[in-house]
Amino acid sequence: MTDATAVGAVNTMTARWARAAVADEGTVLAATGVWPLLALLAGGAGGPARQELEDALGVGADRATALGGALLGALDGMDGVDAATGLWTRQDLPIRSAWEAALPPGVRGALTGDSEHDRKELDAWASRCTRGAIAEMPVPLSPATQLVLAGALTVRTAWLQPFRPGWLMPGSGPWRDRSLAGLTRSMDDLDGLRVVPDSPAGPLTLSGVAGGNGLDVHLVLGAEDAPGGEVLEAGIGAVAGRYEGWPGSALPPGAAGPGVQVREVESWDPTPRVTLTTPAFTVQARHDLLRRAELFGLRTAQDTARGHFPGISPAALALSSGEQSMTASFSAEGFWAAAVTAFSMAPGSAPPQRKAKLISVRYDRPFGFLAVHRATGLVLTAGWVTEPEAGADTMW
């Protein structure tokens, strides 16, 4: 069972990271792959580094190790989610047994000091744990590297109702007159659509796309002039139910929200319907976590003048790198995402016609997406799409 405290803390980190990371380019990130590793590090940290990690995690270091290990175990138990943890150390580096015992089952390997050999071993682990989606471990190696702690996460789901591939050419906005690989589906469940008229980022439109294994992907569209980071951050709050909104069945005729048009037409079939159109997309990103050291509580831990992790090893250790590599794809059939996060340490110092309600929702300019575990509300991945998949040159 996923701890509600951990879910809330991870989602908070996701929202803060999304706001900071989304700029003019598309990106994808998984705080779910970072938070448990930070929690494990916090349990072995001391001094100011421990306090900074606690502040970033939103929980005390005394609880962090147990929560981090439990979350990794819960993730691996979710249908459609695979999580793995790996620890590699120099053979002459002593590791405290109490800290190692708190790690979830995974790989315990040795660093030989031969960077080429060690690189092959770590890259093979990353590729194996993500089914080839991430080919390289996102960590620099040198003879001075003492320890590598890594996590791999994959998320996959097949839509309960697949999309119909087609052709999309926006008439306005940044994608105007571009041929895109459009995806369309029509549904009679209007309440999978939700419009939030007033969030911290302004109006939002959220379309939930349900997977068959308990995972949902929410597409998030804001106002044309709203910053992407703010839209994605507000979208996380909206999915959690923090802001009042209108379900599709309650939307009035006209322009009811970003990308939403509601019409009432004469029809032989009075069943209300919502038509969702979006481009297919693949987004890739590599994040240097130390560039946002304050967000992740890693500023002091980089200081090589002293050691910061006495609970991990009696040897003085300082953080030398922290990175995440990630990819995510949205297609007619489903959603797939993979992430590898790694930290390394170096020594420190025909009846009559009736009215029918028809709703059209178009994601034809940059938008966000959130992959969410339905039962717990845990945001597994978050991203922003600026370069959708290209379509055919013409409709024919």
Side-chain angles (χ1 to χ4, degrees):
M1 182 176 178
T2 308
D3 188 282
T5 300
V7 170
V10 172
N11 288 356
T12 296
M13 179 174 285
T14 302
R16 293 171 55 215
W17 190 6
R19 184 184 181 96
V22 173
D24 296 331
E25 296 182 352
T27 195
V28 59
L29 53 90
T32 311
V34 177
W35 194 95
L37 298 186
L38 293 177
L40 295 173
L41 292 178
R50 184 181 180 93
Q51 183 61 56
E52 288 180 10
L53 283 163
E54 288 182 329
D55 293 342
L57 290 165
V59 299
D62 291 339
R63 296 183 60 201
T65 300
L67 283 174
L71 179 58
L72 287 167
L75 286 168
D76 199 38
M78 293 177 181
D79 193 5
V81 180
D82 290 316
T85 307
L87 174 68
W88 295 262
T89 63
R90 288 288 295 266
Q91 291 182 346
D92 57 352
L93 178 70
I95 298 295
R96 297 197 187 279
S97 58
W99 182 80
E100 186 177 357
L103 298 176
V107 174
R108 174 67 191 273
L111 297 174
T112 65
D114 180 338
S115 298
E116 183 177 352
H117 174 273
D118 293 341
R119 166 61 57 198
K120 290 180 180 179
E121 291 292 320
L122 295 179
D123 288 351
W125 183 88
S127 180
R128 184 170 63 252
C129 290
T130 62
R131 304 186 186 187
I134 306 294
E136 298 180 352
M137 180 76 80
V139 63
L141 291 176
S142 75
T145 303
Q146 298 289 301
L147 178 151
V148 173
L149 177 65
L153 177 73
T154 61
V155 178
R156 63 194 180 280
T157 191
W159 309 133
L160 285 172
Q161 179 185 343
F163 287 79
R164 182 175 69 253
W167 187 71
L168 174 62
M169 181 173 283
S172 62
W175 301 339
R176 180 177 180 176
D177 297 334
R178 288 179 55 182
S179 175
L180 306 178
L183 303 174
T184 302
R185 69 179 194 178
S186 182
M187 304 153 286
D188 56 15
D189 178 16
L190 273 59
D191 292 347
L193 167 69
R194 185 163 172 256
V195 172
V196 176
D198 187 20
S199 80
L204 300 176
T205 294
L206 296 99
S207 298
V209 185
N213 56 358
L215 305 182
D216 298 329
V217 175
H218 298 266
L219 305 181
V220 186
L221 188 66
E224 290 189 41
D225 58 349
E230 295 181 17
V231 170
L232 197 54
E233 180 185 34
I236 293 170
V239 168
R242 294 197 196 109
Y243 315 122
E244 293 186 5
W246 298 92
S249 58
L251 295 177
V260 180
Q261 287 287 336
V262 181
R263 296 180 298 145
E264 289 188 349
V265 300
E266 296 288 340
S267 174
W268 302 113
D269 181 2
T271 305
R273 303 195 70 79
V274 57
T275 299
L276 171 61
T277 302
T278 182
F281 61 82
T282 294
V283 184
Q284 297 177 328
R286 183 160 174 165
H287 303 280
D288 181 352
L289 305 182
L290 301 190
R291 288 184 59 194
R292 296 189 170 88
E294 285 80 8
L295 194 157
F296 299 108
L298 299 174
R299 177 63 66 194
T300 297
Q302 299 176 64
D303 181 5
T304 57
R306 52 163 293 188
H308 306 284
F309 300 94
I312 295 178
S313 173
L317 294 172
L319 199 67
S320 57
S321 71
E323 298 190 34
Q324 181 179 87
S325 290
M326 176 124 207
T327 183
S329 294
F330 186 107
S331 69
E333 293 78 25
F335 178 84
W336 156 261
V340 172
T341 308
F343 293 95
S344 68
M345 293 187 188
S349 278
Q353 290 191 359
R354 288 176 283 175
K355 292 284 186 181
K357 185 175 188 176
L358 301 181
I359 304 175
S360 65
V361 189
R362 289 173 63 89
Y363 289 78
D364 57 3
R365 52 184 171 80
F367 62 92
F369 63 92
L370 302 166
V372 179
H373 184 245
R374 191 181 306 145
T376 64
L378 178 66
V379 178
L380 297 165
T381 65
W384 188 255
V385 181
T386 59
E387 283 298 321
E389 187 176 321
D393 291 337
T394 70
M395 292 181 65
W396 300 275

